[in-house]
Amino acid sequence: MARAVSVADRWHRKTPATSDAPRCKCGTRERPYPSGDHGAEHRWAVRWRDTDGRQRKKLFERKPDAQRYAAEIKGDMDAGRYVDPGSGKTTFREVAVKWQAAAGVQQRESTRANVDRALRNHILPAFGDREIASIRRPDIEAWVSGKATELAPSSLETVYGVLRSVFAWAAGEYITVDPCAARSRAARIRLPRPAPKEIVPLSAVQLRALLVACPDRYRCALLVAAGSGLRQGELFALEPEHVRPGEIVVRQQLTVVSGGRPQITPVKSSSSRRTVPVPEALTKAVQRHLEAFPAGSRSLVDTTGTKPRERPVRLLFTPSTGGPVQRGPWAKVWAGIMRRANESLKVLEETPVPAGTSLHDLRHYYASLLIREGENVKVVQKRLGHASAAITLDTYTHLWPDSAETTRAAVARHLGDLFEQ
C-alpha cells in the first residue's frame, strides 16, 4: 500500500496566528503567514507514518534536500524495504551481539569461538562504537586495506566474512543498504589474494624416515594418515568400531576450542562423512596397534547428536597418559619426529623433510598416490571428503599428468584423414 510522505514549510502557515498578523515577505502563496517557528534553524520538515503507524519527522535547512529525502522514504516504503531511521543509530556492537545470538544457534562451538575472536580483535575496535548506519563502503575498504598489512589473506578473508555477515543480517532492520553488498563481481570489495602455493608431496623415502623416527605409540597413526588421507582431527577421533576390514569410517572429529577441553564434534561438512577403502593390511596394522596400546575409555562431551552429551570414548591413538591427543603436546612429539627423520636422511644423503611439514602433509601424500594411480578428480574428492571437486582441483591440479601425447593421438585418430586432404 502506498504511504503518504509530505514536505512541510515550518516557517509559514496558511492562516494568520492573530487577526492582525502581517504576511511574511519570504512566505509562499499557499502559506503566506509566519508561524511560531519562523527563523528556526531548519525550515523544512519531512513527515510520514512508519510501518507501525507512528508519526515520524526529519528536519532540513534546504527544500531540495527535504524533497530528495521524502522521495527516498516513499520509495523504500512502497518497495517494502523501509527501515526506521532511528534504527541506524544503534551501534555496530549492539547489532553484532544480536547477530551472534541469532547465528550462534546453528554454529559449532569452535566456529562461535572463531567469530568471537574476529569481532573482539579486529572488527569491534574499528566499528564497535559507531552507529551502524554511519558505516559506509569507503570505511570498509579502508579497513580492509589496513588489515591486509597485518593479516594473512586467508585470515583476512575469514574476518571479513564475519563483518559481511553482520551487515547482511542488519540490512532491512537497521540499515537500508548493506555496504558490503555489490551488484556485480566487478563492484565487490576486493580482498588480497593469497600467493599461489603448489603442494609438493613427500617422497616415499621421506615418509619412511618419518615412520622410522616415530615413537611406537604413534607409528600406526602416521600409517593411517598416509593410507587414508584423514584430517588430523578425524584421525585422532577414531574409535575401534570405525576401523573395519578394508575400510575406515569417518563420522566424527576431535576438536579443542580455545581455553576449553577436547570434544567429539561433527566432521567438517556432510561430504566429510565418508567411508574410505583401505588395504586390509592397514586395518590389520591397526589391530596390532590395539594389542600393543589398548584403547582406554575417557569421558568426553560428544556434540555429534541432536544435543551435547557426555559419554565414554575409546580413542585409537592417545598419549601415554591416556586421553585425547592435544595440540601442544603433539607439536612437541612431531618436532622430535621431524628432527630424527632429518638426521637419518642426512646420513643417507637424501632430501630432508621440508621445514613446516605437518601431519596434514600425509593427507597430501595420500592424494598424490591416488592421482598417480589414475584416479579421477571425483574419486579423489570423495576419498578426501572435500565439499566440491573445485576444491580438489584447486589444491592438486598440478599433480595430474599433462597427457599431451594422449591428446595428440586422440585428435589424430579421429581427424587425421581430414588433415591430409
Side-chain angles (χ1 to χ4, degrees):
M1 180 181 69
R3 296 177 180 271
V5 181
S6 63
V7 176
D9 181 356
R10 299 175 62 229
W11 286 8
H12 301 94
R13 50 187 293 166
K14 293 181 179 180
T15 58
T18 60
S19 59
D20 59 344
R23 289 175 173 264
C24 180
K25 293 181 179 180
C26 61
T28 63
R29 180 178 299 178
E30 293 80 13
R31 304 175 73 88
Y33 298 101
S35 70
D37 291 323
H38 192 281
E41 183 178 0
H42 300 291
R43 175 176 178 177
W44 303 96
V46 178
R47 295 192 179 97
W48 72 97
R49 289 191 179 275
D50 64 17
T51 51
D52 295 326
R54 293 174 296 184
Q55 182 72 49
R56 297 292 185 182
K57 179 176 69 174
K58 186 173 177 66
L59 304 180
F60 294 87
E61 291 183 12
R62 298 173 63 247
K63 186 175 184 179
D65 296 335
Q67 290 173 324
R68 185 162 45 249
Y69 185 77
E72 291 174 1
I73 290 290
K74 189 172 190 315
D76 288 342
M77 283 187 156
D78 292 346
R81 57 174 182 266
Y82 171 80
V83 175
D84 180 1
S87 298
K89 296 182 179 180
T90 307
T91 65
F92 181 92
R93 188 187 309 275
E94 293 174 283
V95 175
V97 168
K98 293 178 181 179
W99 168 77
Q100 277 186 286
V105 176
Q106 297 180 330
Q107 292 174 341
R108 298 178 184 177
E109 188 172 347
S110 58
T111 302
R112 289 196 295 272
N114 290 336
V115 166
D116 186 67
R117 187 161 48 248
L119 285 166
R120 184 178 64 254
N121 295 339
H122 302 290
I123 300 173
L124 294 182
F127 301 117
D129 296 328
R130 289 185 56 176
E131 294 179 357
I132 191 166
S134 74
I135 302 171
R136 303 298 184 186
R137 186 183 184 87
D139 300 323
I140 297 172
E141 290 172 333
W143 174 81
V144 167
S145 297
K147 286 297 170 184
T149 64
E150 61 179 271
L151 294 177
S154 57
S155 299
L156 177 54
E157 183 177 7
T158 300
V159 172
Y160 175 71
V162 174
L163 178 71
R164 185 176 58 189
S165 295
V166 175
F167 277 116
W169 183 81
E173 184 67 28
Y174 296 93
I175 51 177
T176 305
V177 178
D178 177 357
C180 293
R183 294 182 179 180
S184 65
R185 288 178 63 87
R188 65 185 177 179
I189 292 176
R190 299 288 180 175
L191 301 180
R193 292 184 178 181
K197 180 183 177 183
E198 279 195 356
I199 289 170
V200 179
L202 297 171
S203 69
V205 174
Q206 291 169 329
L207 176 61
R208 186 175 295 277
L210 289 171
L211 289 168
V212 171
C214 188
D216 293 343
R217 175 174 287 276
Y218 292 116
R219 187 170 295 119
C220 186
L222 267 62
L223 277 173
V224 172
S228 65
L230 267 61
R231 300 177 177 92
Q232 182 170 314
E234 297 168 346
L235 177 71
F236 289 138
L238 285 176
E239 298 183 72
E241 61 266 27
H242 297 143
V243 182
R244 305 169 183 168
E247 63 183 25
I248 295 177
V249 180
V250 183
R251 293 293 182 271
Q252 60 191 34
Q253 65 178 343
L254 183 68
T255 303
V256 182
V257 178
S258 243
R261 51 184 291 221
Q263 297 182 359
I264 297 297
T265 61
V267 287
K268 189 174 182 180
S269 64
S270 58
S271 55
S272 296
R273 289 175 57 88
R274 63 198 188 280
T275 299
V276 183
V278 296
E280 287 202 26
L282 179 55
T283 51
K284 288 178 180 178
V286 172
Q287 293 307 315
R288 291 194 298 272
H289 168 82
L290 281 171
E291 291 169 7
F293 306 99
S297 179
R298 283 296 179 96
S299 182
L300 294 178
V301 173
D302 184 337
T303 64
T304 58
T306 54
K307 59 174 68 174
R309 63 188 178 96
E310 191 104 4
R311 73 169 177 90
V313 177
R314 297 175 63 235
L315 299 174
L316 277 181
F317 306 117
T318 63
S320 58
T321 55
V325 174
Q326 299 203 49
R327 186 174 299 170
W330 172 252
K332 294 179 181 178
V333 171
W334 183 257
I337 296 171
M338 287 277 289
R339 185 183 67 255
R340 291 187 294 272
N342 279 335
E343 286 171 355
S344 66
L345 289 167
K346 184 177 181 180
V347 171
L348 297 171
E349 297 184 349
E350 294 284 352
T351 304
V353 179
T357 297
S358 68
L359 187 61
H360 195 79
D361 285 271
L362 273 61
R363 176 172 164 86
H364 298 322
Y365 179 83
Y366 170 77
S368 72
L369 290 183
L370 300 187
I371 294 168
R372 195 180 311 156
E373 291 300 314
E375 292 284 27
N376 65 57
V377 63
K378 290 299 292 182
V379 170
V380 178
Q381 172 203 345
K382 184 177 179 181
R383 300 288 181 258
L384 293 174
H386 283 159
S388 71
I391 295 173
T392 309
L393 283 172
D394 285 346
T395 308
Y396 301 112
T397 188
H398 63 288
L399 298 180
W400 264 277
D402 184 0
S403 50
E405 287 305 318
T406 303
T407 301
R408 292 189 188 101
V411 175
R413 185 165 57 252
H414 292 278
L415 299 176
D417 58 331
L418 298 177
F419 298 152
E420 298 175 1
Q421 293 180 3

